[in-house]
Amino acid sequence: MIRRVVLLTALAALATITTSPTIANAKDAYIPILVPITGFIALEGTAQRNGAIQALENAPEGVTVTYEVSDTSTSPEVAVTALHRALERGKPVAAAASIFGTQMLAMAPIAQRAGVPLITVSGTAKLTELGNPYIFRFFPGDEVVKVAHARYAVEVLGAKRPALLYQTTSYGQSGRAQLAKILKDLGAPLVFEEALAPSVKDMLPALAKLRAAKPDVILLHLHSGPTALAIRQAREAGIDLPVVAGSAMHQPSTAKLLAPAQLSGVCAESAASPISESDAKLVAFTKEFRTRFHTEPDAFALAQYDGINMVLAALKDGADNAEQVRDWLAGHTFEGLAMTYKSDGKGNMAHDALIVCYDGASLLPTIAKRYHNVDGAL
Amino acid sequence: MGASIPQLLVNGVALGAAYALIALGFVLVINAVGAVNFAQGDLVMAGGFVAVAIAEYLTPWASENLPELAVVGPGSSGVGLGLVILPLTMVVMAVLGLLFSALAYAPLRHRPPVSVFISTIAVGLILQYGANAVFGPEPRIGPPLVVNGSFALGPITVSIQQLSVILAAGCLIAGTGLLLSRSQLGRQLRAVAQDPEMAEAIGISAGRCIAITFALAVALAGSAGMLLSNQFFVAPSDGGLFMLKAYIAVTLGGWGRLDGAALAALLIGIFEVMMAAFVSYVMAEALLYAGVLLVLLVRPSGLLRETIQRRT
């Protein structure tokens, strides 16, 4: 009976995962978008999807692309199924792939066997340490953004006793490992840390223990909803310490969950913050994004946009199959809207990070500090 | 420890009270149709989004006509719009419950219970994907029941929303208990739950009673969704968590026992908060499931003796 339930549930889920069934024209380059648009990481996955679509809809002259969107939800199995289906439909020249590290780790070996580059914004450090030449990460990995995260807390805010709340997911574990190491190297080891499942709603117990450890700054490495919950509950509990959060906090939709006053003293690491920039090209990107998707762009959308644009640049430059696209990505430097992208030999394409801060009066963050070429790969 | 035990208890009771509302609707459906409603968690999520939608619809009107009532969004300080939104949410959700009953239960009524709970899984998925399509994937914040803010009670800081959740849940649970035990309708609902054929034989419409039970259960889920959406936000993927907690509460409380489910839900809320404070969240989760296994081993009928003897 249970097997029947599982089977029927899986069938129902499969029936809903493909959201844009476009049949590939044999002459077109085929780029499937395999991202989580449902589940607890749907916010980030939707930003990825939107960024990829905006890039594909603006493909350069002479490059014709067919794409489709498949929802990978939150399980590795669904992500793998989506990739298999994409491979069955045609030979992709590349695929926009999930931000969710657990799913990427499952998809990576399949993409390698099929010889298809995966263009992702997943921050999970392990992803580019597997020796898989088909992984290209356009969002700075934890070895970049967590350096900015820790250095800002220690060097700018003067933290000596940081405390950390992180997620139990692979994203959280990876960030926690990097932060703990970097903070120790900077002479400010963590005085408190606790892992929270994405389902945890009442964070008072963790905040109570955190307060008892007498930290001087709170570091968060949580997804969007939990980030807002942690900040809100900390402020309600009278914990007014400065907060340096993970990239989820730079997302406009996260800030909307909080009152401006609750954001006083809150900063966040990110690769970019499109809504905070005044550069004309970024302003144009943001304007088109708002018009097209009726929402604000974030760094994940911009990174995926840049990643797909680099694939399109490869196609424009004459690459006409997955192997040639892979070689082009591995061997060229690309000027994206957010930063300059170049592979470090492992598929890490992004090497800059920045810190945005809220002023306590509005929900629009300003860029407080930029960290260029953090890992020295450029 | 940076927070007092009374402070943690208040948080635990508030969390447990919301779980109790979810579990209550869950038990009502189990009693009425003898099958588990796997969409219960997603119905809670749907209730949260219905409250968000109503609040967004009412706020411009209230801001213009009753500025002192405009209460939506984090940090707003107006009073009272939530008291209008809660019953409206329950009405909308009750209608959804009737539709649920007509579309997902009635056609399968004479099939084995497995058909019904597969159908409820499908409804849950539809609600989750529907919320994602309509409202987007981002978490949203619902309106407070009365007002945002908090007050000090000795060493404890009590959030007004927390207190509202406890009071509202208490009233709704007591109201449901009174409806079922003291009213003619309640007696009919219980008669159908115990023996639908016999109830039909004495002139009670089982189909009508089951539809009303679904409406009541879904309205309770909606109220829980609204109450939770302000304190903990609401996102399309939240249903699974709520479903799991309701299932555990019902299993611990005694299959089919309204009072048992409410009591177990309260205990789960307090247990989670206390264990997380004194050990860790990971251990709290592990110990909760270990506790469920222990209860099933030592007292399989639950903390209070179950009223129906079948578990799906």
Side-chain angles (χ1 to χ4, degrees), chain A residues 201, chain B residues 18-26 37-52 89 93 96 100 124 127 217-229 233-236 238-244 246:
Chain A
K201 298 289 188 189
Chain B
Y19 287 164
L21 275 178
I22 304 167
L24 211 58
F26 197 75
N37 173 16
F38 280 100
Q40 187 71 11
D42 292 301
L43 288 163
V44 174
M45 173 275 297
F49 276 112
V50 166
V52 168
T89 300
M93 293 301 289
L96 180 63
F100 184 5
L127 289 172
V218 175
L220 287 171
S223 67
M226 185 212 153
L227 295 173
L228 286 166
S229 67
F233 313 137
V234 57
D238 280 346
L241 163 76
F242 300 137
M243 171 67 208
L244 197 60

Side-chain angles (χ1 to χ4, degrees), chain A residues 13 23 62 64-65 85 90 103 120 126 136-137 143 173 179 203 218 228 274 296 299 310 320 331 334 357:
Chain A
I23 303 301
T64 49
V65 185
R85 286 178 47 164
Q103 294 186 329
T120 187
K126 192 179 172 188
F136 293 93
R137 187 214 313 271
E143 63 282 355
Q173 304 274 355
L179 276 172
M203 298 185 179
I218 300 173
E296 298 286 342
M310 189 167 178
D320 67 356
F334 180 72
C357 292

Side-chain angles (χ1 to χ4, degrees), chain A residues 1-2 4-5 8-9 12-13 16-17 37-44 46-47 71 73 168 194-197 199-209 211-212 224-229 232-233 236-237 253 255-260 262 295, chain B residues 1-3 7-8 11-12 15 19 74-76 114-115 117-118 121-122 125 128-129 132 137-141 148 150 157 159 161-162 229-238 241-242 245 272-282 285 312:
Chain A
M1 183 178 70
I2 296 298
R4 276 182 65 191
V5 174
L8 284 166
T9 308
T16 56
I17 59 172
I37 51 178
T38 57
F40 72 88
I41 202 161
L43 178 60
E44 293 84 351
T46 303
D71 179 15
S73 193
T168 50
E194 175 131 26
L196 308 175
S199 58
V200 168
K201 298 289 188 189
D202 192 328
M203 298 185 179
L204 182 70
L207 292 168
K209 288 188 282 185
R211 177 153 54 187
S224 171
T227 297
L229 273 179
R232 177 178 166 177
Q233 292 179 19
E236 285 175 354
S253 51
K256 271 169 69 178
L257 297 169
L258 296 161
Q262 291 169 327
T295 187
Chain B
M1 178 60 60
Q7 177 75 68
L8 292 167
N11 278 45
L15 191 61
Y19 287 164
S76 64
V114 67
S115 308
F117 75 66
I118 289 172
I121 290 171
L125 284 171
Q128 187 182 334
Y129 283 87
N132 198 66
E138 61 269 24
R140 305 285 285 268
I141 185 165
N148 283 313
S150 57
T157 304
S159 130
Q161 178 63 9
Q162 270 182 336
S229 67
N230 176 258
Q231 211 174 346
F232 301 131
F233 313 137
V234 57
S237 57
D238 280 346
L241 163 76
F242 300 137
K245 294 295 156 65
E272 277 186 348
V273 171
M274 288 297 179
M275 288 308 297
F278 289 102
V279 191
S280 73
Y281 283 95
V282 177
E285 198 81 353
T312 358

Side-chain angles (χ1 to χ4, degrees), chain A residues 10-33:
Chain A
L11 286 173
L14 274 176
T16 56
I17 59 172
T18 300
T19 56
S20 177
T22 311
I23 303 301
N25 183 324
K27 290 179 183 172
D28 296 347
Y30 171 44
I31 303 180
I33 301 170

